[in-house]
Amino acid sequence: MYNFIMNLYSLGVRTAALFNDKVRKMWQGEQAAISVLQEKVDPNASYIWFHAASLGEFEQGRPLIEHIRHEFPQYKILLTFFSPSGYEVRKNYEGADIVCYLPLDTVSNARRFLRTIRPVMAFFIKYEFWYNYMHILRHRGVPVYSVSSIFRPDQVFFKWYGRKYANVLKCFTRLFVQNEESKRLLATLGINDVEVVGDTRFDRVLEIKEAAKQLPLVEKFTAQTEHVFVAGSSWLPDEEIFIPYLNEHKDWKMIIAPHVIGEDHLSQIMHLLEGRHVVRYTQATEETVGEADVLIIDCFGLLSSIYRYGQVAYVGGGFGVGIHNTLEAAVWGVPVFFGPNNQKFREAQGLKACSGGLEISGAEEFKVKMDAVIAAISHGKDMGKHAYHYVLSHAGASEKVIEACFNNKAQ
């Protein structure tokens, strides 16, 4: 049944590729993957294979990749992606020796792929459970690990109709999960090679903080004030909440890094900011940015470094499909606001529990909670310390995984 579904999916992708650029890139990348590997693989090398669906999963796996790269240079690294949003951004990532798409999970593709690479170890990040690849890896005796995975009762593995597919989980040498609930659920399937280590994203944001860029234009913008509100990965429903409030509090400067950087969206933001002195980052000079009270980040790659300049942060997406990366803000020791769609994000629940995160359901609740935050700041209270301590207290998952995998504890 699984292989029948894969064949149907392949047909659907081929059809969709005729009309959609993103799907076309994925399809072409998958078709070219074996040729890329045959050209680039060193037959005398030992490869460790990391697979990430997209960019977010890559960031979770990155601390492991770079630790192995540094501590175990005798291995080469193969990094594969499923989504163009991961591959296109990281196809030139220097931490891996080869970066390519993962061919669709058919028996023939999996055999060709693994015959070409012959990995000595494989890591699948978070929600990656490819049936044919996993079973062939187990048959070949290759240690396979699931990293930063998290399980919930509503997943297919724990439904009566998904029990046969759940056998794929028995292919893992060990699963390194985020919480005790995941370990308990896996035990109901008879899977006990499980270790609760937490989420490697905490390690990653600490690394990002250490490598943060100096941004002279942003420093100039914030130089004359201690009241800076940073909104990251915001969407229009987010902006319609915080911008009107801050328009009434002109002693607060705003830095807005929208999730979508397109002229239509930027025009919507500018309309909401009518009456404010706004400058776009790509058009700013030291003179113009110093005079502005709103800075719009209309380029990518700066947000994780920009959070450091704020006293309060807002992470968007909570009024849509789900919030974006709250940890990138929390690691800088600032209180973090976000919308209500955060129930599946364990870090958001943790930030709320420790008072480092503030959930809001609309403009009125934002006003009440932001008033409280401003009052606390004016009385010298450091609300953001809870957010930073939460990140720090959950770090260390990467070291636990490395120790287990390379000291023969999980093999």
Side-chain angles (χ1 to χ4, degrees):
M1 178 60 71
Y2 177 86
N3 287 321
F4 176 71
I5 292 172
M6 283 292 102
N7 288 326
L8 283 181
Y9 175 80
S10 176
L11 179 61
V13 169
R14 277 184 284 179
T15 303
L18 298 173
F19 309 100
N20 185 288
D21 287 341
K22 182 177 180 179
V23 176
R24 188 180 305 116
K25 285 182 179 179
M26 181 178 71
W27 174 250
Q28 292 173 343
E30 289 178 358
Q31 296 304 298
I34 298 296
S35 296
V36 170
L37 293 173
Q38 289 172 340
E39 176 186 344
K40 294 186 176 181
V41 164
D42 179 352
N44 298 314
S46 295
Y47 283 88
I48 295 178
W49 171 27
F50 280 85
H51 177 65
S54 192
L55 193 58
E57 290 80 7
F58 163 75
E59 290 296 331
Q60 286 179 285
R62 186 169 177 170
L64 296 174
I65 294 173
E66 296 184 355
H67 191 118
I68 292 171
R69 191 80 160 175
H70 181 261
E71 297 294 329
F72 305 97
Q74 66 269 34
Y75 297 108
K76 288 184 178 290
I77 302 294
L78 165 67
L79 172 63
T80 59
F81 287 99
F82 178 75
S83 169
S85 60
Y87 175 78
E88 293 299 329
V89 175
R90 294 301 180 192
K91 59 187 176 184
N92 296 316
Y93 172 56
E94 294 182 353
D97 296 281
I98 304 174
V99 182
C100 68
Y101 281 95
L102 180 67
L104 191 65
D105 187 27
T106 64
V107 173
S108 60
N109 280 347
R111 285 174 176 166
R112 291 177 65 203
F113 180 91
L114 294 172
R115 191 182 303 122
T116 304
I117 290 297
R118 300 186 182 279
V120 297
M121 193 180 297
F123 292 87
F124 288 74
I125 312 301
K126 200 172 183 178
Y127 293 135
E128 293 300 283
F129 310 108
W130 295 106
Y131 193 88
N132 292 313
Y133 284 104
M134 296 296 304
H135 278 82
I136 295 172
L137 284 166
R138 184 178 68 171
H139 177 74
R140 293 187 174 198
V142 178
V144 188
Y145 305 103
S146 177
V147 177
S148 290
S149 48
I150 188 166
F151 295 89
R152 297 182 299 275
D154 61 351
Q155 288 173 308
V156 65
F157 310 113
F158 310 105
K159 304 295 185 181
W160 65 267
Y161 52 81
R163 287 303 175 99
K164 188 171 183 180
Y165 176 62
N167 287 329
V168 71
L169 300 177
K170 296 179 181 179
C171 294
F172 284 108
T173 306
R174 179 162 292 185
L175 294 99
F176 297 100
V177 299
Q178 293 189 30
N179 58 14
E180 291 290 344
E181 172 70 0
S182 296
K183 184 175 182 178
R184 185 191 68 78
L185 285 168
L186 290 168
T188 67
L189 301 176
I191 299 171
N192 298 302
D193 289 322
V194 181
E195 184 174 348
V196 179
V197 299
D199 191 343
T200 53
R201 281 183 300 171
F202 291 92
D203 303 325
R204 179 60 189 148
V205 294
L206 287 165
E207 291 175 354
I208 290 172
K209 182 181 180 182
E210 288 298 314
K213 304 172 185 176
Q214 295 293 324
L215 302 172
L217 286 176
V218 182
E219 291 173 4
K220 182 72 174 179
F221 175 76
T222 60
Q224 302 302 317
T225 182
E226 293 182 354
H227 297 154
V228 180
F229 183 93
V230 178
S233 300
S234 61
W235 296 78
L236 186 59
D238 304 301
E239 294 144 6
E240 289 176 333
I241 290 174
F242 67 76
I243 289 178
Y245 176 92
L246 291 164
N247 281 344
E248 296 178 1
H249 295 75
K250 291 187 169 57
D251 56 325
W252 278 77
K253 288 191 169 189
M254 278 183 271
I255 302 176
I256 304 173
H259 186 73
V260 176
I261 300 174
E263 290 304 320
D264 288 345
H265 187 200
L266 294 177
S267 295
Q268 292 171 324
I269 295 173
M270 294 296 290
H271 179 73
L272 291 169
L273 291 167
E274 192 171 353
R276 301 298 296 266
H277 190 164
V278 184
V279 64
R280 289 167 59 159
Y281 186 86
T282 59
Q283 300 171 0
T285 65
E286 287 199 6
E287 292 73 24
T288 59
V289 80
E291 297 169 355
D293 56 8
V294 180
L295 177 61
I296 296 178
I297 309 301
D298 55 347
C299 56
F300 294 108
L302 303 181
L303 180 57
S304 60
S305 297
I306 284 174
Y307 282 122
R308 74 162 79 177
Y309 299 104
Q311 282 70 53
V312 180
Y314 184 108
V315 175
F319 290 92
V321 295
I323 56 171
H324 297 290
N325 194 339
T326 53
L327 296 180
E328 283 190 348
V331 74
W332 291 104
V334 294
V336 185
F337 280 89
F338 42 80
N341 191 358
N342 61 70
Q343 300 307 310
K344 292 184 177 181
F345 297 84
R346 181 168 170 258
E347 67 277 11
Q349 307 309 306
L351 286 170
K352 287 193 294 182
C354 75
S355 300
L358 301 98
E359 176 186 318
I360 53 120
S361 59
E364 185 56 36
E365 189 173 11
F366 178 73
K367 178 183 184 305
V368 171
K369 292 185 176 180
M370 188 65 185
D371 283 347
V373 169
I374 290 176
I377 291 173
S378 69
H379 287 89
K381 295 182 179 179
D382 183 7
M383 294 186 66
K385 67 182 180 182
H386 301 297
Y388 175 67
H389 289 156
Y390 171 72
V391 175
L392 203 61
S393 67
H394 286 77
S398 300
E399 290 185 7
K400 294 175 184 176
V401 173
I402 293 294
E403 181 181 357
C405 295
F406 287 85
N407 288 334
N408 296 318
K409 292 184 178 182
Q411 296 185 33

